Amino acid sequence: MKNSGITTSYFLEYNNNLKKIQWNDIAFFPIESYALSGKQLLEKPGNVEVLQFRDNLIQVFSMQVEQKIERLFLVTPKEISGEYYGFLFLQNKQILAIKVIGSPLFYKWMEIVLRDDYEDRDMQSLLQFASNEYSIISIGGPIKINNRIFNETGKYLFDNAPKKYNEAKLAKEKANYMAKYYQPEGDVDKTAIKTAFDQMMKQFNPAFTPPADNEEIYDEFEKTAGFAFPKALRELLKLHDGIEDIPFLIAEDILDEWRNWKTIYDDWTLEELKKSPDPEKKVLGLYVTPYWVPFFDLEDGNFMAMDFAPDKNGTPGQIIAFGANNEKGEWIADNLAAFLDTFKVNYDFDDEDYDN
């Protein structure tokens, strides 16, 4: 196979055979850095400018191979102006081994990127760049720290390939894990929900928008999520379509927030999602799952949600808190009616804050 005139000898195939390849087995393709831009950024090079350099470098290499680069590894020499070797993880799941033909601007940027790491120059560095990644790992030295890139080159590349290389496998792993916990919603006490809601409205007396026809949104949710829009939330949304100063989500917002969190779930591996277990075994020790349906906005990316994948001591439809400021889900109430009951006691209407 050829790629922009680059012969196959420079490409490494992403498969189990990759694990056997050693550094000395690899032919490195000479790739140019002369198209780098951003000379003006060198005037005051801060964190933002360094990230712009990262993106520009990836773009320059991408243009030469005529393919999107998912991740870039760059092994630095002991001297700034020495030889830089690296690996481009390409969109087609091939890895191109490269040797950078340095330009004056490239070396200047390397001097800035490595300014802290080059205080002890008995070490080399491994730069790991991607659109959402910027890391520098020290390698080598007298004790051969982090030397796998040299000693187990192929296996290191295999183990650190972009997540997209294993999307199907990682998705299946998560699906199999969640299948053990998902429980469909049981019967809903409609009277209890309405009674608790009416008492809450009587206590706070807020303005509210009358309920709307949400059937299309419910259908879209089921089509997207793979399970039905929660019956308990349907009952709640028969009573309002937004309440002033009390941040219950309307149906459209519930769907939007569920999608936002599903994107995070899809992007993370199961290992990344797993957090410390709940001592009471009510809520799974995960950062997020697709079976948490947010319905109440706690602000700053935090929500109350209905949980349909509880741990062994939890119940389907229980109420949990989760979000940006939570390492994992936290149990709040057994069901929506119970949440509305405790809400009357704990919600500070003036501060718009729910004290759980």
Side-chain angles (χ1 to χ4, degrees), residues 111-324:
E111 195 174 318
I112 292 167
V113 168
L114 299 167
R115 54 192 161 195
D116 296 327
D117 207 45
Y118 265 65
E119 291 179 2
D120 177 6
R121 221 31 285 159
D122 195 33
M123 304 285 285
Q124 293 176 258
S125 298
L126 173 62
L127 310 184
Q128 297 182 342
F129 290 171
S131 60
N132 59 351
E133 178 185 18
Y134 178 93
S135 68
I136 303 176
I137 301 172
S138 295
I139 55 177
I143 60 174
K144 307 296 183 185
I145 188 172
N146 297 324
N147 240 26
R148 284 188 64 209
I149 189 68
F150 296 125
N151 297 339
E152 299 178 312
T153 306
K155 191 172 188 309
Y156 185 84
L157 296 175
F158 187 92
D159 292 343
N160 291 278
K163 294 174 190 175
K164 287 189 176 182
Y165 279 25
N166 291 293
E167 273 184 322
K169 178 182 176 182
L170 294 173
K172 185 177 180 181
E173 181 183 28
K174 287 187 288 189
N176 290 342
Y177 181 85
M178 293 308 306
K180 296 183 293 184
Y181 295 99
Y182 169 64
Q183 297 182 50
E185 188 175 19
D187 293 334
V188 172
D189 190 336
K190 300 178 182 179
T191 301
I193 292 173
K194 186 176 188 310
T195 299
F197 178 83
D198 289 344
Q199 290 175 350
M200 179 192 73
M201 296 298 281
K202 182 178 180 180
Q203 177 178 341
F204 296 121
N205 195 29
F208 71 99
T209 303
D213 181 357
N214 295 313
E215 288 304 319
E216 286 188 9
I217 296 174
Y218 299 155
D219 290 343
E220 180 67 17
F221 179 92
E222 183 168 1
K223 178 182 176 182
T224 306
F227 61 97
F229 192 92
K231 291 181 285 187
L233 293 182
R234 282 176 176 254
E235 292 302 314
L236 181 62
L237 289 167
K238 288 178 181 178
L239 305 172
H240 78 93
D241 191 46
I243 304 173
E244 186 176 331
D245 295 326
I246 303 181
F248 284 96
L249 302 180
I250 62 175
E252 183 178 1
D253 293 337
I254 289 173
L255 176 57
D256 287 344
E257 290 299 342
W258 181 89
R259 281 175 166 152
N260 291 339
W261 285 98
K262 178 61 161 57
T263 298
I264 295 173
Y265 173 83
D266 289 341
D267 286 346
W268 289 27
T269 65
L270 181 58
E271 183 179 354
E272 291 169 333
L273 290 167
K274 282 185 175 180
K275 306 300 177 183
S276 58
D278 175 11
E280 297 184 4
K281 298 292 184 183
K282 287 187 173 183
V283 184
L284 288 180
L286 299 177
Y287 181 62
V288 67
T289 89
Y291 300 108
W292 295 352
V293 184
F295 68 90
F296 187 93
D297 188 354
L298 294 171
E299 297 187 342
D300 300 323
N302 303 289
F303 298 89
M304 296 289 186
M306 295 196 72
D307 175 13
F308 298 102
D311 208 341
K312 64 179 183 179
N313 293 335
T315 55
Q318 66 187 3
I319 308 304
I320 65 167
F322 82 103

Side-chain angles (χ1 to χ4, degrees), residues 13-64:
E13 299 293 336
Y14 181 74
N15 54 39
N16 284 326
N17 291 329
L18 176 62
K19 300 176 185 178
K20 304 174 185 177
I21 293 177
Q22 298 299 318
W23 183 275
N24 290 336
D25 300 329
I26 299 171
F28 291 89
F29 174 74
I31 195 165
E32 295 185 358
S33 61
Y34 287 94
L36 274 172
S37 59
K39 188 174 181 179
Q40 70 282 2
L41 299 176
L42 293 171
E43 296 174 6
K44 293 183 179 180
N47 292 336
V48 172
E49 287 74 21
V50 167
L51 293 180
Q52 288 178 312
F53 159 72
R54 173 203 64 185
D55 295 341
N56 185 213
L57 184 65
I58 292 174
Q59 182 184 33
V60 166
F61 290 164
S62 181
M63 290 174 62
Q64 292 178 67

Side-chain angles (χ1 to χ4, degrees), residues 29 37 66 72 81 93 107 134 157 168 184 230 311 352:
F29 174 74
S37 59
E66 296 182 359
L72 162 64
S81 59
K93 295 187 178 181
Y107 291 130
Y134 178 93
L157 296 175
D311 208 341
E352 299 183 21

